[in-house]
Amino acid sequence: MMEIDDSLYSRQRCVLGEDAMQKMSESKVFLHGLGGLGIEIAKNLVLGGIQELTIQDNTVCSYADLGTQFFVRKADIEAGKTRAEASLPHLADLNPYVRVVLDANDLTTIRSPLTDATNQALLRSLWKFGQSEARSVQCLILTHCSLHAATLLNLFCRQHNIRFIYTDVYGVLGNLFCDFGPDFLITDPDGEPAKEFFIGHIEKRGSGELLVKVYGDRRHHLETGHVVQFREVCGMTELNGRTFAVCVLSPSELLIEVETDELSQYTGGGIGLQIIQPQRRSFKTLLEQLRQPTIVTTDLSRPDEGILLHHVFLTLMKFKHEEKRLPKPWCESDYKLFSTKFEELRQVSPHDLGSPECLTFVRRLALVSQGQVPALCAFFGGVAAQEAMKALTGHFSPFNQWLYMHCEPVIPRNLESQTLCLNGSRYDLLTVCIGPLCLQRLRHLSAFLVSYRRQSTIVLVKSSYLA
């Protein structure tokens, strides 16, 4: 068992606990894609303290990478290095306890069938074919990957008990998909300490129920379905040491089901202690979730927005598969083509995608899909690394199963009237999303940050637009 270095991990250890930290220190992760999003994931996992991170990205560094990929330098571009080659030494320097390995293959070139000999050569970093201890990694994270390749790799991961995360950012739209297998064990669903309360009174309700009241004006802080163990109960001593699922009646009252005929009369005292119960969750494959997605609701005022964003994503993937690229920035002919593909999917979709007015929103998302907002990369990089930690440790409940977020309001309303001058600079990807005028304001903006927060960048982008 590896000893955890408290000088490095003390605060994380307080959140995750000893058992989860040990699991992290023994885990291996494979990450494909080291763009603006991928490098955020890699940085977070290395700092988090996994055992080994294998990185893969054969894309040659470009000046556009300088705007989102903080480990790429001008010298790397001039030397013709790949993103993975440029990032490797910097990632290795972040944490001496984590081994960072470069893989020169390209998983995204995988083709059906999975049993093909060429595929086996690609997949050796995930699975040691012909060996008894076959699994090489516990989690695969894909960024900058086609939907077709992701679907095949997801099926491979399901067959070999490898946790799977698929995420990317398209302009002002980002998404994430999790599949941790058909029987994933969550040892600690919420990370909260077990609740404990003093009992004020217990009374019988018929022959099958007990009403438990908390002492004084205190609260139990439990939810229906939580399991509680009783101890030090006087009189009704038959309850001591037994556990019961509770039904919450009020913040200070609980109902439990128990045969009451043989229970003694309650005389006083007692303590209720929550027993945290492991949970099992069954995930569906990426292929199943494409048509019938389970999407996390992030905005209760717009509960149906997730399914609309899902179809925008599917249309972008269809466009990229057929045209070998995403729609050009603010190109009307490309949007007409995108719109045709969107309507094709809409016709066969079992979901209501909203009124025709939503097409203006869809149009704005599609026409900036080649850009990137650094803050959105940082956000999804944090979320993806967080979900990977859940997959590796079983600590905290993972997303079920899609997450979609967008920052469409950062796109200026008059962006179409502005002339986009993309000259191969580090700001091109951001310019696509916020326009040259907003970028100019941003470059002349001075800010003083009292404390560093990941949200700060996106707040600055919004404030410069609104100014």
Side-chain angles (χ1 to χ4, degrees):
M1 181 179 292
M2 177 181 173
E3 184 177 348
I4 305 300
D5 186 350
D6 271 340
S7 66
L8 192 63
Y9 299 119
S10 58
R11 288 182 292 179
Q12 182 172 294
R13 192 178 197 169
C14 291
V15 175
L16 296 181
E18 181 70 24
D19 182 61
M21 286 299 300
Q22 284 295 337
K23 289 179 180 178
M24 284 273 291
S25 68
E26 299 167 0
S27 298
K28 298 180 181 181
V29 177
F30 190 103
L31 170 64
H32 173 83
L34 270 293
L37 170 59
I39 198 62
E40 290 280 356
I41 300 171
K43 175 258 296 180
N44 292 331
L45 289 175
V46 171
L47 292 176
I50 61 174
Q51 180 184 5
E52 181 178 289
L53 175 67
T54 302
I55 58 174
Q56 182 185 87
D57 192 335
N58 294 328
T59 306
V60 177
C61 297
S62 67
Y63 282 97
D65 288 324
L66 298 176
T68 55
Q69 222 281 20
F70 45 77
F71 281 152
V72 170
R73 304 288 186 266
K74 186 177 179 180
D76 299 322
I77 301 171
E78 294 171 347
K81 291 184 179 181
T82 65
R83 289 172 179 168
E85 291 170 340
S87 304
L88 180 65
H90 301 288
L91 289 171
D93 287 343
L94 290 177
N95 192 336
Y97 296 102
V98 180
R99 182 168 178 251
V100 184
V101 181
L102 186 145
D103 188 292
N105 291 315
D106 186 355
L107 280 181
T108 62
T109 60
I110 189 172
R111 294 293 181 267
S112 183
L114 289 173
T115 54
D116 185 85
T118 305
N119 288 338
Q120 290 193 8
L122 291 173
L123 297 168
R124 289 191 189 281
S125 295
L126 305 181
W127 186 262
K128 296 178 181 177
F129 293 93
Q131 299 187 24
S132 56
E133 193 64 37
R135 189 173 63 172
S136 302
V137 298
Q138 284 75 41
C139 182
L140 169 64
I141 306 176
L142 295 178
T143 71
H144 199 65
C145 177
S146 71
L147 186 57
H148 174 71
T151 304
L152 291 176
L153 288 167
N154 175 237
L155 293 175
F156 179 84
C157 289
R158 292 278 289 205
Q159 293 172 6
H160 298 91
N161 194 30
I162 298 172
R163 313 307 183 201
F164 178 86
I165 297 173
Y166 178 40
T167 181
D168 218 330
V169 170
Y170 309 92
V172 297
L173 170 66
N175 72 344
L176 178 137
F177 172 80
C178 295
D179 176 11
F180 298 162
D183 188 26
F184 180 67
L185 178 64
I186 306 170
T187 56
D188 188 353
D190 57 16
E192 293 289 328
K195 310 296 190 302
E196 190 174 32
F197 59 91
F198 291 103
I199 298 172
H201 185 68
I202 301 177
E203 65 180 62
K204 299 179 181 180
R205 278 196 171 185
S207 61
E209 292 180 335
L210 284 179
L211 176 64
V212 181
K213 296 183 179 181
V214 179
Y215 179 79
D217 59 354
R218 301 178 184 179
R219 300 187 174 196
H220 49 68
H221 301 291
L222 298 173
E223 298 177 9
T224 296
H226 283 176
V227 176
V228 172
Q229 184 181 69
F230 294 108
R231 65 173 189 263
E232 300 181 26
V233 176
C234 299
M236 201 177 286
T237 56
E238 297 86 353
L239 295 180
N240 289 329
R242 296 178 64 182
T243 57
F244 303 91
V246 303
C247 175
V248 174
L249 299 182
S250 73
S252 60
E253 293 181 322
L254 301 169
L255 200 63
I256 63 172
E257 293 185 358
V258 60
E259 185 58 51
T260 60
D261 293 341
E262 298 181 359
L263 294 179
S264 305
Q265 192 66 29
Y266 174 77
T267 59
I271 297 173
L273 176 65
Q274 179 191 5
I275 305 299
I276 297 176
Q277 298 291 301
Q279 298 177 1
R280 292 192 176 274
R281 180 176 296 177
S282 178
F283 289 81
K284 294 182 179 179
T285 65
L286 177 57
L287 191 60
E288 293 173 300
Q289 281 280 309
L290 290 178
R291 184 168 176 81
Q292 293 288 348
T294 306
I295 303 174
V296 177
T297 300
T298 57
D299 187 346
L300 295 178
S301 67
R302 292 179 286 186
D304 298 326
E305 187 177 70
I307 194 64
L308 176 62
L309 296 176
H310 181 69
H311 278 76
V312 172
F313 162 70
L314 292 181
T315 309
L316 286 173
M317 293 298 95
K318 180 178 173 65
F319 191 105
K320 188 174 183 179
H321 176 72
E322 296 175 356
E323 307 300 324
K324 310 305 178 187
R325 59 176 174 81
L326 291 170
K328 295 177 183 177
W330 301 102
C331 174
E332 279 303 321
S333 60
D334 267 15
Y335 176 68
K336 290 179 181 178
L337 187 57
F338 175 90
S339 181
T340 300
K341 300 179 190 299
F342 183 81
E343 284 301 321
E344 290 173 358
L345 290 177
R346 187 172 188 161
Q347 293 300 321
V348 298
S349 172
H351 305 282
D352 180 12
L353 300 185
S355 62
E357 288 76 16
C358 72
L359 293 180
T360 301
F361 172 72
V362 170
R363 178 176 179 274
R364 288 164 63 80
L365 294 180
L367 292 181
V368 300
S369 58
Q370 283 196 14
Q372 278 194 343
V373 178
L376 199 59
C377 292
F379 172 79
F380 274 95
V383 172
Q386 163 192 283
E387 295 307 296
M389 291 181 181
K390 294 176 184 178
L392 299 172
T393 65
H395 201 76
F396 300 117
S397 297
F399 283 130
N400 186 29
Q401 289 187 245
W402 289 95
L403 173 70
Y404 282 92
M405 291 285 285
H406 71 87
C407 55
E408 183 266 346
V410 305
I411 306 175
R413 296 298 165 186
N414 63 345
L415 183 56
E416 293 179 70
S417 63
Q418 301 178 31
T419 302
L420 286 180
C421 299
L422 305 180
N423 52 15
S425 77
R426 65 187 302 151
Y427 300 112
D428 277 2
L429 298 180
L430 183 58
T431 303
V432 168
C433 298
I434 67 174
L437 296 182
C438 186
L439 179 68
Q440 195 67 16
R441 288 183 180 180
L442 190 61
R443 294 182 67 178
H444 288 87
L445 180 67
S446 297
F448 178 76
L449 298 182
V450 178
S451 63
Y452 179 78
R453 296 182 185 275
R454 294 196 179 280
Q455 296 92 330
S456 299
T457 309
I458 198 166
V459 170
L460 292 178
V461 172
K462 288 183 178 179
S463 63
S464 64
Y465 163 57
L466 295 172

PDB file of all heavy atoms in Angstrom, residues 279-296:
ATOM      1  N   GLN A 279     -24.361   1.991  -3.271  1.00  0.00           N
ATOM      2  CA  GLN A 279     -25.382   1.919  -4.312  1.00  0.00           C
ATOM      3  C   GLN A 279     -24.782   1.313  -5.573  1.00  0.00           C
ATOM      4  O   GLN A 279     -23.586   1.439  -5.822  1.00  0.00           O
ATOM      5  CB  GLN A 279     -25.927   3.319  -4.636  1.00  0.00           C
ATOM      6  CG  GLN A 279     -26.611   4.010  -3.477  1.00  0.00           C
ATOM      7  CD  GLN A 279     -27.066   5.414  -3.839  1.00  0.00           C
ATOM      8  OE1 GLN A 279     -26.891   5.876  -4.979  1.00  0.00           O
ATOM      9  NE2 GLN A 279     -27.652   6.111  -2.878  1.00  0.00           N
ATOM     10  N   ARG A 280     -25.627   0.677  -6.344  1.00  0.00           N
ATOM     11  CA  ARG A 280     -25.195   0.136  -7.636  1.00  0.00           C
ATOM     12  C   ARG A 280     -25.958   0.842  -8.747  1.00  0.00           C
ATOM     13  O   ARG A 280     -27.151   1.080  -8.628  1.00  0.00           O
ATOM     14  CB  ARG A 280     -25.417  -1.373  -7.709  1.00  0.00           C
ATOM     15  CG  ARG A 280     -24.500  -2.141  -6.777  1.00  0.00           C
ATOM     16  CD  ARG A 280     -24.501  -3.631  -7.054  1.00  0.00           C
ATOM     17  NE  ARG A 280     -23.551  -4.331  -6.203  1.00  0.00           N
ATOM     18  CZ  ARG A 280     -22.265  -4.488  -6.477  1.00  0.00           C
ATOM     19  NH1 ARG A 280     -21.780  -3.994  -7.607  1.00  0.00           N
ATOM     20  NH2 ARG A 280     -21.466  -5.132  -5.651  1.00  0.00           N
ATOM     21  N   ARG A 281     -25.235   1.186  -9.804  1.00  0.00           N
ATOM     22  CA  ARG A 281     -25.865   1.876 -10.925  1.00  0.00           C
ATOM     23  C   ARG A 281     -25.515   1.163 -12.222  1.00  0.00           C
ATOM     24  O   ARG A 281     -24.367   0.785 -12.446  1.00  0.00           O
ATOM     25  CB  ARG A 281     -25.414   3.330 -10.997  1.00  0.00           C
ATOM     26  CG  ARG A 281     -26.047   4.095 -12.155  1.00  0.00           C
ATOM     27  CD  ARG A 281     -25.668   5.555 -12.148  1.00  0.00           C
ATOM     28  NE  ARG A 281     -26.173   6.229 -10.965  1.00  0.00           N
ATOM     29  CZ  ARG A 281     -25.921   7.507 -10.693  1.00  0.00           C
ATOM     30  NH1 ARG A 281     -25.151   8.211 -11.509  1.00  0.00           N
ATOM     31  NH2 ARG A 281     -26.418   8.061  -9.612  1.00  0.00           N
ATOM     32  N   SER A 282     -26.509   1.016 -13.057  1.00  0.00           N
ATOM     33  CA  SER A 282     -26.318   0.382 -14.359  1.00  0.00           C
ATOM     34  C   SER A 282     -26.297   1.458 -15.442  1.00  0.00           C
ATOM     35  O   SER A 282     -27.272   2.199 -15.610  1.00  0.00           O
ATOM     36  CB  SER A 282     -27.443  -0.620 -14.635  1.00  0.00           C
ATOM     37  OG  SER A 282     -27.294  -1.199 -15.915  1.00  0.00           O
ATOM     38  N   PHE A 283     -25.180   1.554 -16.145  1.00  0.00           N
ATOM     39  CA  PHE A 283     -25.036   2.514 -17.234  1.00  0.00           C
ATOM     40  C   PHE A 283     -25.364   1.848 -18.566  1.00  0.00           C
ATOM     41  O   PHE A 283     -25.146   0.648 -18.741  1.00  0.00           O
ATOM     42  CB  PHE A 283     -23.605   3.059 -17.287  1.00  0.00           C
ATOM     43  CG  PHE A 283     -23.256   3.983 -16.155  1.00  0.00           C
ATOM     44  CD1 PHE A 283     -22.888   3.480 -14.916  1.00  0.00           C
ATOM     45  CD2 PHE A 283     -23.288   5.354 -16.327  1.00  0.00           C
ATOM     46  CE1 PHE A 283     -22.559   4.321 -13.869  1.00  0.00           C
ATOM     47  CE2 PHE A 283     -22.963   6.211 -15.288  1.00  0.00           C
ATOM     48  CZ  PHE A 283     -22.597   5.694 -14.058  1.00  0.00           C
ATOM     49  N   LYS A 284     -25.856   2.636 -19.488  1.00  0.00           N
ATOM     50  CA  LYS A 284     -26.104   2.154 -20.842  1.00  0.00           C
ATOM     51  C   LYS A 284     -24.949   2.552 -21.748  1.00  0.00           C
ATOM     52  O   LYS A 284     -24.191   3.472 -21.456  1.00  0.00           O
ATOM     53  CB  LYS A 284     -27.422   2.725 -21.374  1.00  0.00           C
ATOM     54  CG  LYS A 284     -28.646   2.225 -20.622  1.00  0.00           C
ATOM     55  CD  LYS A 284     -29.929   2.774 -21.223  1.00  0.00           C
ATOM     56  CE  LYS A 284     -31.144   2.245 -20.477  1.00  0.00           C
ATOM     57  NZ  LYS A 284     -32.414   2.779 -21.040  1.00  0.00           N
ATOM     58  N   THR A 285     -24.831   1.861 -22.867  1.00  0.00           N
ATOM     59  CA  THR A 285     -23.741   2.138 -23.797  1.00  0.00           C
ATOM     60  C   THR A 285     -23.980   3.455 -24.526  1.00  0.00           C
ATOM     61  O   THR A 285     -25.099   3.988 -24.559  1.00  0.00           O
ATOM     62  CB  THR A 285     -23.608   1.020 -24.837  1.00  0.00           C
ATOM     63  OG1 THR A 285     -24.794   1.003 -25.654  1.00  0.00           O
ATOM     64  CG2 THR A 285     -23.427  -0.332 -24.171  1.00  0.00           C
ATOM     65  N   LEU A 286     -22.928   3.967 -25.130  1.00  0.00           N
ATOM     66  CA  LEU A 286     -23.034   5.192 -25.920  1.00  0.00           C
ATOM     67  C   LEU A 286     -24.020   5.006 -27.067  1.00  0.00           C
ATOM     68  O   LEU A 286     -24.816   5.905 -27.369  1.00  0.00           O
ATOM     69  CB  LEU A 286     -21.651   5.577 -26.452  1.00  0.00           C
ATOM     70  CG  LEU A 286     -21.561   6.804 -27.362  1.00  0.00           C
ATOM     71  CD1 LEU A 286     -22.110   8.047 -26.671  1.00  0.00           C
ATOM     72  CD2 LEU A 286     -20.121   7.040 -27.810  1.00  0.00           C
ATOM     73  N   LEU A 287     -23.992   3.847 -27.697  1.00  0.00           N
ATOM     74  CA  LEU A 287     -24.892   3.575 -28.812  1.00  0.00           C
ATOM     75  C   LEU A 287     -26.351   3.649 -28.373  1.00  0.00           C
ATOM     76  O   LEU A 287     -27.196   4.230 -29.062  1.00  0.00           O
ATOM     77  CB  LEU A 287     -24.582   2.197 -29.405  1.00  0.00           C
ATOM     78  CG  LEU A 287     -25.248   1.845 -30.738  1.00  0.00           C
ATOM     79  CD1 LEU A 287     -24.830   2.829 -31.822  1.00  0.00           C
ATOM     80  CD2 LEU A 287     -24.911   0.420 -31.149  1.00  0.00           C
ATOM     81  N   GLU A 288     -26.661   3.079 -27.210  1.00  0.00           N
ATOM     82  CA  GLU A 288     -28.031   3.130 -26.689  1.00  0.00           C
ATOM     83  C   GLU A 288     -28.435   4.548 -26.318  1.00  0.00           C
ATOM     84  O   GLU A 288     -29.589   4.952 -26.499  1.00  0.00           O
ATOM     85  CB  GLU A 288     -28.149   2.228 -25.460  1.00  0.00           C
ATOM     86  CG  GLU A 288     -27.995   0.748 -25.738  1.00  0.00           C
ATOM     87  CD  GLU A 288     -27.958  -0.072 -24.466  1.00  0.00           C
ATOM     88  OE1 GLU A 288     -27.046   0.155 -23.642  1.00  0.00           O
ATOM     89  OE2 GLU A 288     -28.834  -0.935 -24.294  1.00  0.00           O
ATOM     90  N   GLN A 289     -27.475   5.304 -25.798  1.00  0.00           N
ATOM     91  CA  GLN A 289     -27.773   6.637 -25.289  1.00  0.00           C
ATOM     92  C   GLN A 289     -27.852   7.708 -26.380  1.00  0.00           C
ATOM     93  O   GLN A 289     -28.281   8.824 -26.110  1.00  0.00           O
ATOM     94  CB  GLN A 289     -26.710   7.040 -24.270  1.00  0.00           C
ATOM     95  CG  GLN A 289     -26.907   6.422 -22.903  1.00  0.00           C
ATOM     96  CD  GLN A 289     -27.961   7.160 -22.104  1.00  0.00           C
ATOM     97  OE1 GLN A 289     -27.936   8.375 -21.959  1.00  0.00           O
ATOM     98  NE2 GLN A 289     -28.920   6.416 -21.578  1.00  0.00           N
ATOM     99  N   LEU A 290     -27.467   7.375 -27.590  1.00  0.00           N
ATOM    100  CA  LEU A 290     -27.551   8.371 -28.662  1.00  0.00           C
ATOM    101  C   LEU A 290     -29.000   8.693 -29.009  1.00  0.00           C
ATOM    102  O   LEU A 290     -29.356   9.851 -29.241  1.00  0.00           O
ATOM    103  CB  LEU A 290     -26.806   7.870 -29.908  1.00  0.00           C
ATOM    104  CG  LEU A 290     -25.281   7.816 -29.798  1.00  0.00           C
ATOM    105  CD1 LEU A 290     -24.677   7.261 -31.079  1.00  0.00           C
ATOM    106  CD2 LEU A 290     -24.706   9.192 -29.491  1.00  0.00           C
ATOM    107  N   ARG A 291     -29.841   7.668 -29.047  1.00  0.00           N
ATOM    108  CA  ARG A 291     -31.244   7.878 -29.429  1.00  0.00           C
ATOM    109  C   ARG A 291     -32.131   8.190 -28.229  1.00  0.00           C
ATOM    110  O   ARG A 291     -33.057   8.991 -28.328  1.00  0.00           O
ATOM    111  CB  ARG A 291     -31.771   6.641 -30.167  1.00  0.00           C
ATOM    112  CG  ARG A 291     -33.191   6.817 -30.693  1.00  0.00           C
ATOM    113  CD  ARG A 291     -33.573   5.720 -31.650  1.00  0.00           C
ATOM    114  NE  ARG A 291     -34.954   5.828 -32.094  1.00  0.00           N
ATOM    115  CZ  ARG A 291     -35.387   6.636 -33.047  1.00  0.00           C
ATOM    116  NH1 ARG A 291     -34.521   7.419 -33.665  1.00  0.00           N
ATOM    117  NH2 ARG A 291     -36.653   6.671 -33.396  1.00  0.00           N
ATOM    118  N   GLN A 292     -31.852   7.566 -27.104  1.00  0.00           N
ATOM    119  CA  GLN A 292     -32.643   7.793 -25.892  1.00  0.00           C
ATOM    120  C   GLN A 292     -31.707   8.265 -24.779  1.00  0.00           C
ATOM    121  O   GLN A 292     -31.391   7.517 -23.854  1.00  0.00           O
ATOM    122  CB  GLN A 292     -33.372   6.506 -25.484  1.00  0.00           C
ATOM    123  CG  GLN A 292     -34.457   6.052 -26.439  1.00  0.00           C
ATOM    124  CD  GLN A 292     -35.681   6.965 -26.377  1.00  0.00           C
ATOM    125  OE1 GLN A 292     -35.814   7.792 -25.486  1.00  0.00           O
ATOM    126  NE2 GLN A 292     -36.584   6.813 -27.344  1.00  0.00           N
ATOM    127  N   PRO A 293     -31.254   9.509 -24.854  1.00  0.00           N
ATOM    128  CA  PRO A 293     -30.245   9.977 -23.893  1.00  0.00           C
ATOM    129  C   PRO A 293     -30.833  10.279 -22.519  1.00  0.00           C
ATOM    130  O   PRO A 293     -31.975  10.724 -22.390  1.00  0.00           O
ATOM    131  CB  PRO A 293     -29.722  11.262 -24.546  1.00  0.00           C
ATOM    132  CG  PRO A 293     -30.890  11.775 -25.328  1.00  0.00           C
ATOM    133  CD  PRO A 293     -31.604  10.546 -25.843  1.00  0.00           C
ATOM    134  N   THR A 294     -30.030  10.019 -21.501  1.00  0.00           N
ATOM    135  CA  THR A 294     -30.334  10.453 -20.142  1.00  0.00           C
ATOM    136  C   THR A 294     -29.444  11.656 -19.868  1.00  0.00           C
ATOM    137  O   THR A 294     -28.224  11.527 -19.789  1.00  0.00           O
ATOM    138  CB  THR A 294     -30.045   9.338 -19.126  1.00  0.00           C
ATOM    139  OG1 THR A 294     -30.742   8.155 -19.518  1.00  0.00           O
ATOM    140  CG2 THR A 294     -30.488   9.752 -17.737  1.00  0.00           C
ATOM    141  N   ILE A 295     -30.051  12.829 -19.729  1.00  0.00           N
ATOM    142  CA  ILE A 295     -29.299  14.085 -19.681  1.00  0.00           C
ATOM    143  C   ILE A 295     -29.497  14.762 -18.328  1.00  0.00           C
ATOM    144  O   ILE A 295     -30.627  14.886 -17.840  1.00  0.00           O
ATOM    145  CB  ILE A 295     -29.741  15.034 -20.812  1.00  0.00           C
ATOM    146  CG1 ILE A 295     -29.563  14.349 -22.172  1.00  0.00           C
ATOM    147  CG2 ILE A 295     -28.956  16.340 -20.772  1.00  0.00           C
ATOM    148  CD1 ILE A 295     -30.109  15.149 -23.342  1.00  0.00           C
ATOM    149  N   VAL A 296     -28.404  15.189 -17.733  1.00  0.00           N
ATOM    150  CA  VAL A 296     -28.461  15.929 -16.477  1.00  0.00           C
ATOM    151  C   VAL A 296     -29.073  17.304 -16.734  1.00  0.00           C
ATOM    152  O   VAL A 296     -28.638  18.029 -17.641  1.00  0.00           O
ATOM    153  CB  VAL A 296     -27.054  16.092 -15.872  1.00  0.00           C
ATOM    154  CG1 VAL A 296     -27.112  16.930 -14.596  1.00  0.00           C
ATOM    155  CG2 VAL A 296     -26.431  14.731 -15.592  1.00  0.00           C
TER     156      VAL A 296
END
